[in-house]
Amino acid sequence: MAFDYEKYIRPGKLPHIWCPGCGHGIIMKGLIRAIDSLGLEKNNTAIVSGIGCASRLPGYLDFCTLHTAHGRAAAFATGVKMAKPEMNVIVVGGDGDGTAIGGNHFIHACRRNIDMTYIIMNNNIYGMTGGQFSPCTPTGAKASTTPYGNPDPAFDVAKLAIGAGATFVARGTAYHATQIDKLIAEAVQHKGFSVVEILDDCPTTYGRRNKFKSVIEMMNRLKDIAVPVKAAEKMTPEQLQGKILTGVLYKEEKPEYTTEYAKVIERAKGGK
Amino acid sequence: MAKKVAFLQGNEAGAQGALYAGCKFFAGYPITPSTEVAEVMSAELPKVGGKFIQMEDEIGAMAAVIGGSLAGSKSLTATSGPGLSLKQELIGYACIAEAPVVIFNVMRGGPSTGMPTGPSQSDVMSAKWGTHGDHPAICLVPASVQEIFEETVRAFNLAEKYRTPVMIMPDEIVAHMRERIVFPEPGELEVINRTAPSVPADQYKPYDTKFGDVPPLAAFGSGYRFHVTGLNKAEDGFPTTKAALVQAEEERQVRKVDANIDDIVTFEEYMLDDAEVAIVAFGSTSRSARYAVNEARKAGIKAGLFRIRTFWPFPDKQIKALASKVKAIITPEMNLGMCTIEVRRCAEGKAPVHGIFRVDGEPINPGQILDKIKEVK
Amino acid sequence: MDKKLPTIEIIEKYCKGCHICVEFCPTKVLEMQGFVASVKNLEACIKCMQCELRCPDFAIKVTA
């Protein structure tokens, strides 16, 4: 049987708003399969986003969905999780939303290790506003606001998350569709703040400015640069030049925030 | 049984009022002169199973309380001028998403960092005009420690009743003064909770006008699934750009307050029956004004006080009536004329309006007001 | 090997014509017909499901 995505999509919401060849739809499907594989209850699952193309994702899905303001998703999600720690909370958004205007909320959610999964759909650009460079646009790349090439260095989202204290960090690509649901499922199961960065493509505002002749070229780039962490162990630094590691990059067990706060409540009630 | 009496600071009373109202979630960021609210909430909330979180910034705190409210907890944040400026983005979000939250804003000097420890009353316009777009605004301006307690309860009630953010804005003097407070017994003050949906989950629409201008609000995780967005939305919560729907929704949001002004607006009239000179004041300034009125009466001048307790919506009707029966109005305030603008608007030229403005970090003293009464009588 | 052919359903109203399914099908089962994908060579299908997984538009359903 074909996978039944409709079970999780709100009636009448398709086709989605994303451009032809945009990987956001591939990632949304991966998220749906992950949720299905874990059997998450719809009523008990909140999907929270900020602003941007990627942040339109929750509107399609039949859960408790919260489309917030630009960059603020992790902070809204923190409020939801604090009020209802028993809920599964999944945050989705783009690279600009999450690491520029939402950078502070993102790193502090990592630091607290609050139990939620943050999926960053990294297409290296602000797509919805027409292709301005983001903190994840590679140096030298063209964007509508870097007509002479991007002078800014880019964030490594995974390293940022690990440095800030996230206890599960994984990376996949929109090309490697079969891996997406597995990474997300493992992230959601992890107790603590988990980050899944999915390298994505924006043919409309990034590709056409950066000499990608087609969606296929962009997908082939994702295919070519991705190296699974296991395979990378056997490769030389020269071989890894220009490559990006995929798979589970970091995992550790640490006290989770809402669990720790439950102890605060116990101490307060006990007068200790 | 004797009622519990305490000697409390205004900010502490605000926190106690929030707890009385059933607040179960606080998110904040440290800022003078409101920090005591957060400190009390951090100690008291977990005792009642509530949650406290200190967020990474003011915007994050505002975001968290909206999230907490949508997940079903009555939620509070506290801040002061610069923090209020930062929160404005998401105050607008709470307006359009129709999320009940309370913002406890202690007024200090500004603009920018201004005078962090000095009193001010210069955030009242921010309460209405701070966030962009048309939206409802409710702002309460208490004048005593007891009133901070009671008005914080009322702020929660209004937020829950009208599904909208409500601001309570004591000035720094009221927030930091210590006074005797008599705690109301449980049940003595009305406590309002949002209306939960009565329809089955598959028929629920978060902005269903079939139920009037204030549609029932379900909580995330309560068996109802719905969508919340900061975009203009239709009754089902999903974004729309359909002109008629957007117009109707915007008008309904504003109407929630505009059509219920008499339920929301509160004020106090003191010695106004035969008054020829009326002082219109709020917050700590109204305390100086009351003293000045008493002194004026002793000197044979028919002065009275109209004390604004609800700044937004503004008591238009009452000020208009007042202007047609007095010879002059005096508006002392710790800013450069924010309330004065509103009073002049309502007075429609029927009585001259004389402002007394201070922004030097000092309170307006009774003598200043008395001098003005004598000048304009 | 299961000889029974799969069914590949293309939901034309969802297809945005990105070519991903056509280009990355390992056995070249699909082709573009104008702006939408269509099945050209069902017999070659090895039921790897990659076209369905990679379709960003929920426009392909493969039933093995």
Side-chain angles (χ1 to χ4, degrees):
Chain A
M1 274 298 287
F3 186 89
D4 183 14
Y5 292 101
E6 278 85 352
K7 187 176 157 192
Y8 297 94
I9 292 178
R10 288 177 163 134
K13 294 294 172 196
L14 290 179
H16 53 59
I17 62 161
W18 299 315
C19 299
C22 166
H24 291 354
I26 303 173
I27 300 168
M28 182 159 82
K29 289 168 83 171
L31 170 61
I32 292 171
R33 294 194 304 276
I35 286 171
D36 184 76
S37 72
L38 297 172
L40 302 188
E41 202 202 319
K42 286 181 178 181
N43 285 334
N44 203 37
T45 302
I47 304 181
V48 185
S49 68
I51 292 291
C53 296
S55 288
R56 285 303 187 97
L57 187 151
Y60 301 110
L61 299 184
D62 187 16
F63 296 88
C64 303
T65 54
L66 181 53
H67 175 224
T68 73
H70 201 18
R72 317 298 174 211
F76 276 80
T78 298
V80 172
K81 187 71 182 177
M82 286 295 281
K84 287 237 167 85
E86 66 277 17
M87 286 190 86
N88 312 299
V89 178
I90 298 167
V91 182
V92 296
D95 46 302
D97 184 65
T99 68
I101 192 165
N104 203 30
H105 308 305
F106 177 70
I107 59 173
H108 287 274
C110 290
R111 174 180 62 82
R112 283 185 200 104
N113 196 34
I114 188 162
D115 187 27
M116 61 179 72
T117 298
Y118 197 125
I119 300 166
I120 287 208
M121 298 149 80
N122 181 0
N123 60 7
N124 315 104
I125 202 84
Y126 287 96
M128 189 163 266
T129 45
Q132 299 74 32
F133 77 96
S134 87
C136 297
T137 302
T139 305
K142 294 278 180 67
S144 75
T145 46
T146 56
Y148 308 108
N150 181 20
D152 283 33
F155 265 141
D156 180 323
V157 175
K159 280 185 184 165
L160 177 70
I162 295 166
T167 52
F168 180 99
V169 179
R171 188 191 282 131
T173 86
Y175 173 83
H176 300 88
T178 45
Q179 189 187 29
I180 296 172
D181 48 325
K182 291 170 187 69
L183 293 177
I184 294 174
E186 193 174 342
V188 172
Q189 278 183 301
H190 175 79
K191 186 84 175 163
F193 193 79
S194 51
V195 176
V196 183
E197 179 192 15
I198 308 289
L199 301 179
D200 204 352
D201 66 312
C202 179
T204 304
T205 75
Y206 187 86
R208 70 185 170 90
R209 283 195 182 87
N210 289 283
K211 297 185 178 150
F212 288 98
K213 290 196 183 75
S214 67
V215 169
I216 306 310
E217 274 194 22
M218 297 194 84
M219 281 286 156
N220 274 324
R221 174 188 154 266
L222 293 176
K223 179 184 170 185
D224 294 342
I225 62 171
V227 177
V229 273
K230 280 275 174 227
E233 285 169 9
K234 299 178 195 116
M235 290 167 71
T236 64
E238 290 74 33
Q239 288 170 317
L240 285 171
Q241 195 69 35
K243 303 290 186 188
I244 289 177
L245 301 189
T246 56
V248 177
L249 307 180
Y250 186 79
K251 187 173 182 173
E252 74 169 311
E253 300 299 325
K254 261 192 177 175
E256 187 277 321
Y257 194 79
T258 60
T259 310
E260 292 305 298
Y261 199 84
K263 293 177 191 168
V264 168
I265 292 175
E266 275 177 38
R267 289 200 292 276
K269 285 183 171 172
K272 285 174 202 165
Chain B
M1 203 176 88
K3 283 191 182 173
K4 191 180 156 198
V5 174
F7 189 61
L8 276 195
Q9 186 209 51
N11 282 338
E12 293 167 352
Q16 293 295 340
L19 293 163
Y20 185 97
C23 174
K24 284 290 187 294
F25 182 52
F26 180 98
Y29 183 82
I31 185 165
T32 301
S34 78
T35 310
E36 294 86 357
V37 181
E39 288 170 348
V40 174
M41 294 309 267
S42 72
E44 298 303 318
L45 268 175
K47 289 183 190 169
V48 295
K51 320 279 173 64
F52 167 93
I53 190 167
Q54 185 170 307
M55 291 297 285
E56 54 275 7
D57 57 36
E58 295 278 2
I59 305 172
M62 192 65 214
V65 293
I66 297 170
S69 177
L70 292 171
S73 292
K74 285 189 177 179
S75 300
L76 173 74
T77 187
T79 190
S80 182
L84 183 66
S85 293
L86 287 164
K87 283 175 164 27
Q88 291 292 358
E89 174 200 21
L90 298 184
I91 289 170
Y93 187 93
C95 288
I96 198 166
E98 300 180 60
V101 289
V102 174
I103 300 121
F104 189 101
N105 178 73
V106 181
M107 290 190 279
R108 73 187 225 193
S112 189
T113 312
M115 248 197 292
T117 56
S120 168
Q121 296 178 310
S122 56
D123 293 348
V124 287
M125 284 297 182
S126 289
K128 185 167 173 65
W129 306 111
T131 196
H132 63 280
D134 291 296
H135 57 87
I138 300 178
C139 173
L140 315 180
V141 281
S144 71
V145 173
Q146 183 79 39
E147 199 171 63
I148 288 181
F149 183 104
E150 291 165 5
E151 289 293 88
T152 304
V153 176
R154 193 165 76 95
F156 273 97
N157 286 347
L158 293 170
E160 296 283 316
K161 187 173 180 180
Y162 295 112
R163 264 188 83 173
T164 194
V166 172
M167 301 193 204
I168 173 160
M169 289 199 179
D171 55 70
E172 186 274 342
I173 294 172
V174 182
H176 273 165
M177 68 163 66
R178 288 186 177 273
E179 285 185 316
R180 181 176 184 269
I181 171 173
V182 182
F183 282 94
E185 298 284 340
E188 188 178 334
L189 299 184
E190 184 186 22
V191 169
I192 296 174
N193 295 312
R194 65 193 71 172
T195 307
S198 54
V199 298
D202 61 345
Q203 288 166 32
Y204 178 65
K205 289 187 233 164
Y207 309 98
D208 195 342
T209 53
K210 192 165 72 198
F211 299 95
D213 282 347
V214 189
L217 177 60
F220 281 175
S222 69
Y224 289 82
R225 296 193 299 279
F226 57 101
H227 187 61
V228 178
T229 177
L231 289 160
N232 282 108
K233 79 284 181 189
E235 289 193 343
D236 59 6
F238 292 100
T240 185
T241 52
K242 283 185 185 138
L245 285 178
V246 172
Q247 177 89 16
E249 272 290 288
E250 287 254 350
E251 287 180 356
R252 177 181 62 76
Q253 284 165 43
V254 172
R255 193 166 61 233
K256 289 192 297 185
V257 167
D258 282 358
N260 293 289
I261 285 178
D262 289 340
D263 181 50
I264 301 167
V265 167
T266 51
F267 52 88
E268 182 195 350
E269 292 174 304
Y270 179 68
M271 299 214 172
L272 279 178
D273 285 350
D274 62 342
E276 292 174 352
V277 179
I279 322 292
V280 177
F282 61 101
S284 66
T285 307
S286 70
R287 299 168 72 116
S288 292
R290 189 186 306 268
Y291 192 96
V293 165
N294 291 341
E295 292 300 303
R297 288 276 170 178
K298 283 181 204 164
I301 304 168
K302 289 179 178 171
L305 167 66
F306 184 94
R307 181 166 76 88
I308 294 173
R309 296 178 70 213
T310 306
F311 201 96
W312 301 115
F314 201 75
D316 287 25
K317 199 167 65 180
Q318 291 78 11
I319 299 293
K320 188 177 174 179
L322 182 68
S324 52
K325 70 175 202 181
V326 297
K327 288 182 188 162
I329 293 175
I330 298 170
T331 47
E333 52 184 327
M334 287 186 284
N335 60 56
L336 292 178
M338 295 180 179
C339 182
T340 306
I341 290 172
E342 291 302 304
V343 173
R344 284 210 179 106
R345 176 178 62 77
C346 299
E348 294 174 343
K350 293 192 180 85
V353 179
H354 306 275
I356 304 174
F357 309 141
R358 274 193 98 148
V359 288
D360 59 354
E362 294 294 326
I364 293 175
N365 58 57
Q368 263 185 292
I369 301 172
L370 188 59
D371 288 347
K372 186 64 90 177
I373 293 172
K374 288 175 177 167
E375 184 189 317
V376 306
K377 72 172 164 60
Chain C
M1 182 104 183
D2 184 5
K3 295 260 172 66
K4 200 178 159 212
L5 289 177
T7 57
I8 302 177
E9 183 192 355
I10 311 278
I11 304 161
E12 293 193 2
K13 65 176 178 179
Y14 290 169
C15 177
K16 291 176 183 167
C18 71
H19 292 236
I20 289 175
C21 59
V22 172
E23 294 293 331
F24 293 107
C25 172
T27 53
K28 302 297 167 205
V29 172
L30 303 160
E31 66 175 350
M32 294 305 292
Q33 283 278 0
F35 291 107
V36 295
S38 85
V39 181
K40 170 180 72 173
N41 184 13
L42 189 63
E43 288 75 19
C45 179
I46 56 168
K47 305 168 198 169
C48 70
M49 315 296 282
Q50 289 300 317
C51 58
E52 180 184 304
L53 287 164
R54 288 209 186 93
C55 172
D57 299 312
F58 298 76
I60 303 182
K61 283 183 188 173
V62 181
T63 308

